[in-house]
Amino acid sequence: MLTLTHFVKAASCAVRGAARYGVTSLRERDAKTRDRRRATAILTFLTRMGPIYIKLGQIAATRSDLLPPEWVTTLRVLQDQAPYMEPDAVRRAVERELGGPLDDTFRTFQMQPVASASVAQVHRAELHDGRTVAVKLVKNGVPEQIEASLRSLGAQLRLVHRLVPKVRDLELPKRFDEVARLLRPQADMRQEARRQQRIHANFAQHPYVRVPAVLTDLVTDRMLVMDFMDGVPGTRVEEVAFPRERLAQRLQDVVYTMLYMHGVSHGDPHPGNIMFTPDGELILLDFGITVELSEDEKWGLSSFYYACSRKEWDVAVDRFTRHFVEAGPELATGSEESEEYVEQLTQVLRHHFDLSTTRWSTVAYFNDVNKVLRRHHARYTANFTKVELVFLSGEGFAAQLDPDMDIWGNARKFTDRYSPYMSAEVKDRFTKAFSRQMPASLDLRDRAARTLVAPTHTDRYFFPSTFPVFVREASGGRLRDFDGNEYIDLHGGYGPHLLGYAHPVITEAIREAACGGLVNGIGTTHEVEFAEHLVAAFPAADKALLCNSGTEAVLLAVRMCRGHRRRSVVAKFEGHYHGFSDQGMVSSWFRFSGDRGHPTPVAGCLGTDPGTVDGTLVLQYGDTAGLARLREHADDLACVLLEPMPTSLVCLDVPFLAELRAVCTELGVPLVFDEVVSGFRAAYGGAQIMADVHPDLTCLGKVIGGGLPCGAVVGRTDLIDMAKSSQDPFYDYENKVFAGGTFSGNSLTCAAGLATLRHLDENPHLYTQLEDHTQELAAMMREATGKRDIACRLSARNSFFSLNFSHREAGLYRERMAGSNFKATIALAYYMRKHRIHLPELHAFLLSAAHTTEHLDRIAHAFEESLDEMLADGLFVT
């Protein structure tokens, strides 16, 4: 296997030979003097050989664990003090790129560079409008030198491949070509500018990371102009007063954030490419090398390391091999060699993640993995080779900042992204606290585990509840558990209890209906009146069909559309959850695939019908340009399904919805709004009333049942009547769809739903109150995180809250989820629970009309106390 690490080692071996030739004959007695002279010889050799070799020297200068200290110190000059062009050559080069006199663009221009590395040098300048900028200029002849060096090295490796049979299995020419593709574009400033702009956008609101903004009008093939940023170069970090251990942790956090969350990372985070401000901010520079991970690779990285943290070695080996290894047929599952491979890689993983008592070393880890792969004629994927470089460079620099840092411990925040993981100390503290606070709930948790799987709370998919509350009584906006603890509830049963628990209007309606007999499967006036109120709430609705849940409503709506259109493909939106059906869960969770503009459908869980996944077209909410894909697939589409106000993002994009409505009308494809959560909660009727954009079908649930199980589909007559019998069974089989449900439209649910709708219709001030309370609480929470410099994105409107501990302002669902600190979000639920506030272990929570201003103050106070405790427990890097 050939990786960039091997290039570093190969270069070191070569220059060691050069150093011995030049200085060992002196036979100095002083070891430091000897190392210094050898390092100087190496420096001279690398400088003379050109930019590719200088790049290797830059990487080697971060490896204080591999090279003598004098070597590292000497080679560090390559990170920002490499040879540079003379002033006359600089002026000619800049004017060549500008296509005119330098003075026409710049008021001042410092000909002496402020930094010079392997490919380019950077000058400070001032524009005529007064802005201070940095001008990055590719050195004359460098692109040609890079190409010549790569050709020379490539030829040598091809010769070795041809003449040395023992190394042919390594496929050195192929691996070199992969690395060459990484190094060759470094002299292309237009490409670098695009990468820098992406990473600048990703860190735009970060509390301690800065990336210079690019002046796109002044970017050419060999020149890049950006905002000038002052800072202490990473090569002189000793001048920074900020604690070194915190700088190291911040550096690792930034590298892992780019890899695990953003999916696009600085590819060469050595000291020459990073500066520090006096208060510890990191300034990222030089994006000639970047690494991009697909959604599948990001998932693979997290899932592999998570399995390692749980010591599930077989699972870890499988995930690592599937995502990051190119394996030959000899490693086919079940073969003898495959078993040996699994056993040997397991030994490596156990040693580094479990048994080793030494400080974590990424270098040693990668070396040991490489040995196993070579032994079985396997190799990393090309992209993982780049990931290896990022890990190695980042760790090397971080270790220089803080030799005692716990690299693996810090990494757990990212490798356990979706787990309720917390340090053993914090978890033990929670266990003791909750054992005192709510022992009866914990006893019920343990009792339930013996006979009950509760997938909506205790055993929730992705986010199981470690310390669940078992409720004895619920009233208004409060819950009381079996230990007598009273909690302010922000869960709301996932949405139905808009008016609060045990509202007298609903309770009385249920009591009367129960006394009249629980009627189902036979008509009642409640059923008719309930349907009339539902239809009246939606301007575009003609009829209603009742069912038992939001999931059923979506199932029936999709079936009606498929029957009506005689087509099977459903277009839905990434991150929009439509209940637990196979169709409703496609691409709804935290597993993404495909390009951001062309998502690939992903099954919501194991057991999903593959045909349903294949029959789904996935789009992005808010991506108006992406709606062109509907035209491309119009002949196959049964319908377009979405949440008009996605509850995971709490946003309402009216222009996008209007354009979507226009496209669906143009194509004759039914538009289906899933307002199971937002219907009658965001407004009387739902988000479509606020947007004034009306679908062909609306799926409802939650609020409309008054707390009882209920669902409905309302909409156009021709679509709803797809489920209405023609009284000709032969015609029905060929032209109608089946809709059933023993308890659909039962008297109890319809009575409760009817009472709820009447009360909401008669009291419109409740919606104004809810919005006022929402904004009041959101303001207090934003102030709390702002005071503590905690990166947090809180979206709130119309009783909905979506909270993510993230610096990233993201429009697309996948970007918002990718930037989220799930661990902190899950932990927040438990910290708040200690302070008698009940949050779900999710990213979203809800207010009800029963919450008072006093409740809001108590919630805000508990949030502040929870943040302070989370900071003290190390859940945030500061």
Side-chain angles (χ1 to χ4, degrees):
M1 176 179 318
L2 185 66
T3 68
L4 286 170
T5 310
H6 291 105
F7 279 127
V8 175
K9 293 180 178 179
S12 298
C13 290
V15 296
R16 280 192 184 104
R20 282 195 296 272
Y21 179 77
V23 301
T24 52
S25 60
L26 299 177
R27 300 186 180 281
E28 299 92 348
R29 294 181 180 180
D30 185 85
K32 288 187 177 180
T33 301
R34 183 168 61 250
D35 281 342
R36 189 179 301 115
R37 293 193 178 187
R38 286 180 172 173
T40 301
I42 293 171
L43 177 64
T44 302
F45 172 81
L46 295 175
T47 303
R48 186 173 64 248
M49 292 299 290
I52 294 297
Y53 293 85
I54 292 175
K55 177 62 64 180
L56 296 176
Q58 292 171 345
I59 298 170
T62 68
R63 301 315 317 178
S64 55
D65 52 344
L66 297 178
L67 299 174
E70 295 299 325
W71 291 33
V72 171
T73 301
T74 302
L75 292 177
R76 281 180 188 170
V77 302
L78 295 173
Q79 292 169 343
D80 61 0
Q81 300 175 46
Y84 51 85
M85 295 188 294
E86 294 299 321
D88 288 346
V90 170
R91 177 176 287 275
R92 288 193 300 271
V94 172
E95 292 184 339
R96 178 194 67 217
E97 297 307 306
L98 292 174
L102 180 148
D103 296 338
D104 287 353
T105 301
F106 301 104
R107 177 186 296 171
T108 62
F109 192 100
Q110 296 181 9
M111 291 297 169
Q112 181 78 10
V114 295
S116 179
S118 58
V119 172
Q121 56 193 58
V122 180
H123 297 261
R124 182 170 182 156
E126 184 182 358
L127 299 174
H128 287 291
D129 63 8
R131 282 182 294 174
T132 302
V133 295
V135 181
K136 184 172 183 178
L137 188 65
V138 176
K139 300 174 187 177
N140 289 337
V142 161
E144 295 78 13
Q145 291 174 348
I146 290 175
E147 196 59 45
S149 295
L150 292 175
R151 280 200 306 268
S152 174
L153 285 169
Q156 293 176 47
L157 288 173
R158 283 190 289 273
L159 183 62
V160 170
H161 178 78
R162 188 164 59 248
L163 298 180
V164 185
K166 290 184 179 180
V167 302
R168 286 176 187 165
D169 288 340
L170 298 179
E171 296 190 33
L172 296 182
K174 177 182 177 182
R175 308 309 290 183
F176 175 79
D177 288 343
E178 293 165 355
V179 175
R181 281 195 293 272
L182 176 67
L183 297 175
R184 189 170 278 117
Q186 285 193 93
D188 183 346
M189 291 296 101
R190 291 188 190 277
Q191 187 173 138
E192 179 169 338
R194 289 192 291 271
R195 295 165 172 168
Q196 184 167 332
Q197 286 174 294
R198 285 184 64 188
I199 295 177
H200 173 270
N202 286 339
F203 283 113
Q205 304 297 323
H206 198 281
Y208 58 79
V209 178
R210 302 289 176 262
V211 178
V214 173
L215 279 65
T216 54
D217 292 343
L218 293 176
V219 175
T220 68
D221 291 344
R222 297 196 179 188
M223 186 178 73
L224 192 165
V225 180
M226 68 196 90
D227 287 343
F228 187 89
M229 289 190 169
D230 280 315
V232 177
T235 52
R236 303 204 312 269
V237 69
E238 65 278 358
E239 300 174 16
V240 182
F242 199 77
R244 295 282 287 274
E245 64 275 8
R246 289 182 64 189
L247 285 181
Q249 190 175 8
R250 284 184 169 188
L251 174 60
Q252 187 184 358
D253 183 85
V254 169
V255 170
Y256 277 60
T257 294
M258 289 187 289
L259 286 174
Y260 282 90
M261 294 186 169
H262 298 167
V264 55
S265 172
H266 194 299
D268 194 12
H270 65 66
N273 291 335
I274 296 175
M275 295 195 302
F276 300 99
T277 65
D279 55 355
E281 292 180 336
L282 279 69
I283 301 173
L284 304 184
L285 306 169
D286 191 349
F287 299 91
I289 297 178
T290 57
V291 178
E292 295 191 35
L293 296 179
S294 68
E295 293 296 334
D296 291 331
E297 288 171 322
K298 285 163 58 180
W299 179 269
L301 203 61
S302 293
S303 65
F304 161 63
Y305 282 114
Y306 183 49
C308 290
S309 71
R310 291 166 61 89
K311 302 178 185 180
E312 297 172 346
W313 310 119
D314 288 348
V315 175
V317 170
D318 173 67
R319 290 173 177 171
F320 179 76
T321 305
R322 278 192 290 118
H323 289 285
F324 301 114
V325 174
E326 293 180 6
E330 59 271 19
L331 288 186
T333 303
S335 69
E336 184 175 337
E337 184 165 351
S338 173
E339 293 177 359
E340 292 177 359
Y341 165 80
V342 171
E343 181 180 350
Q344 292 165 5
L345 193 54
T346 294
Q347 290 175 357
V348 169
L349 299 181
R350 289 190 67 224
H351 171 75
H352 287 280
F353 290 96
D354 187 21
L355 303 179
S356 178
T357 57
T358 60
R359 183 171 61 89
W360 170 268
S361 170
T362 301
V363 172
Y365 165 66
F366 277 127
N367 282 343
D368 289 346
V369 172
N370 286 335
K371 290 176 185 177
V372 174
L373 296 181
R374 286 199 303 271
R375 199 175 297 143
H376 295 279
H377 310 290
R379 63 192 67 84
Y380 290 142
T381 60
N383 217 32
F384 196 74
T385 297
K386 304 174 191 177
V387 174
E388 179 190 29
L389 171 64
V390 177
F391 278 134
L392 292 173
S393 294
E395 180 199 310
F397 188 12
Q400 288 179 6
L401 296 171
D402 178 15
D404 298 321
M405 75 177 298
D406 182 1
I407 291 175
W408 174 238
N410 295 340
R412 289 292 293 268
K413 170 184 169 184
F414 297 89
T415 59
D416 300 347
R417 283 178 62 196
Y418 303 114
S419 76
Y421 169 84
M422 56 192 77
S423 71
E425 178 186 1
V426 173
K427 185 175 182 179
D428 182 60
R429 201 155 61 241
F430 269 125
T431 300
K432 290 178 180 176
F434 285 126
S435 294
R436 293 190 298 269
Q437 176 178 319
M438 50 182 201
S441 283
L442 298 189
D443 286 345
L444 282 167
R445 173 198 65 185
D446 298 338
R447 174 182 167 188
R450 293 191 289 270
T451 56
L452 173 68
V453 173
T456 57
H457 48 95
T458 307
D459 305 301
R460 189 188 301 110
Y461 196 69
F462 264 102
F463 298 123
S465 184
T466 306
F467 305 105
V469 171
F470 279 75
V471 179
R472 183 169 190 165
E473 178 189 357
S475 176
R478 296 173 292 109
L479 304 173
R480 182 172 284 108
D481 68 14
F482 284 84
D483 293 290
N485 298 301
E486 187 172 284
Y487 302 84
I488 297 174
D489 179 59
L490 296 177
H491 184 285
Y494 296 119
H497 300 288
L498 176 64
L499 295 175
Y501 295 97
H503 191 279
V505 168
I506 300 173
T507 301
E508 178 60 22
I510 292 174
R511 187 192 66 78
E512 289 183 4
C515 290
L518 304 180
V519 179
N520 62 282
I522 307 174
T524 65
T525 57
H526 290 312
E527 185 179 18
V528 176
E529 292 178 21
F530 186 36
E532 289 171 345
H533 273 71
L534 287 173
V535 169
F538 298 94
D542 303 314
K543 289 187 175 182
L545 181 147
L546 302 180
C547 53
N548 294 296
S549 69
T551 293
E552 286 188 17
V554 172
L555 275 166
L556 290 170
V558 169
R559 180 178 291 176
M560 290 172 185
C561 292
R562 283 181 171 145
H564 179 76
R565 284 273 293 169
R566 309 294 174 112
R567 304 287 191 274
S568 61
V569 175
V570 173
K572 73 179 298 287
F573 290 76
E574 191 169 76
H576 291 207
Y577 173 72
H578 303 293
F580 59 79
S581 69
D582 286 0
Q583 186 74 71
M585 288 179 61
V586 172
S587 295
S588 292
W589 295 95
F590 308 100
R591 179 70 167 94
F592 311 118
S593 186
D595 181 78
R596 67 192 299 275
H598 289 75
T600 303
V602 181
C605 70
L606 181 68
T608 298
D609 171 33
T612 300
V613 179
D614 294 340
T616 305
L617 175 68
V618 182
L619 306 173
Q620 297 286 17
Y621 183 89
D623 178 17
T624 302
L627 297 180
R629 298 176 66 203
L630 293 177
R631 293 187 175 90
E632 297 170 10
H633 297 270
D635 290 342
D636 300 317
L637 289 175
C639 63
V640 178
L641 169 67
L642 80 158
E643 296 178 74
M645 191 174 88
T647 52
S648 57
L649 301 177
V650 188
C651 61
L652 182 65
D653 190 332
V654 177
F656 173 76
L657 293 174
E659 179 63 21
L660 175 61
R661 173 68 274 181
V663 172
C664 288
T665 300
E666 170 198 334
L667 301 177
V669 175
L671 176 60
V672 181
F673 278 3
D674 175 352
E675 295 228 47
V676 170
V677 182
S678 58
F680 295 95
R681 174 174 280 277
Y684 188 82
Q688 60 190 271
I689 303 299
M690 296 189 295
D692 194 23
V693 177
H694 304 285
D696 301 297
L697 291 177
T698 298
C699 300
L700 298 167
K702 299 193 184 296
V703 169
I704 67 168
L708 295 181
C710 187
V713 184
V714 301
R716 280 174 20 196
T717 297
D718 58 333
L719 291 171
I720 298 293
D721 278 355
M722 288 298 300
K724 180 180 181 179
S725 173
S726 68
Q727 300 187 27
D728 178 344
F730 301 99
Y731 182 88
D732 283 0
Y733 181 77
E734 294 174 350
N735 298 283
K736 296 289 185 177
V737 301
F738 176 79
T742 299
F743 292 97
S744 296
N746 71 82
S747 61
L748 194 67
T749 294
C750 289
L754 182 58
T756 302
L757 297 189
R758 281 174 172 165
H759 187 76
L760 291 172
D761 192 22
E762 293 167 1
N763 294 276
H765 70 278
L766 292 176
Y767 289 104
T768 303
Q769 173 190 306
L770 274 168
E771 176 62 0
D772 290 345
H773 283 180
T774 300
Q775 297 310 321
E776 183 180 346
L777 178 58
M780 290 190 286
M781 296 178 77
R782 291 189 183 109
E783 182 181 5
T785 55
K787 283 182 178 178
R788 293 161 177 79
D789 289 326
I790 295 174
C792 181
R793 293 290 171 190
L794 179 65
S795 301
R797 63 176 300 169
N798 307 100
S799 82
F800 293 90
F801 289 76
S802 179
L803 183 148
N804 289 271
F805 289 112
S806 171
H807 64 273
R808 197 178 186 195
E809 186 70 65
L812 301 186
Y813 176 81
R814 67 166 60 183
E815 292 171 345
R816 187 181 181 100
M817 293 300 104
S820 297
N821 183 344
F822 286 102
K823 192 181 313 306
T825 305
I826 295 170
L828 174 65
Y830 300 135
Y831 285 94
M832 294 286 277
R833 206 160 293 177
K834 283 172 55 181
H835 298 291
R836 308 306 197 274
I837 308 296
H838 186 252
L839 281 176
E841 293 91 338
L842 296 169
H843 53 268
F845 54 94
L846 301 161
L847 283 181
S848 78
H851 288 120
T852 65
T853 53
E854 180 187 351
H855 288 148
L856 304 185
D857 289 338
R858 287 176 57 189
I859 294 166
H861 180 67
F863 185 62
E864 289 197 88
E865 290 191 326
S866 297
L867 291 178
D868 289 336
E869 292 168 359
M870 294 169 74
L871 279 166
D873 288 339
L875 271 82
F876 306 108
V877 176
T878 59

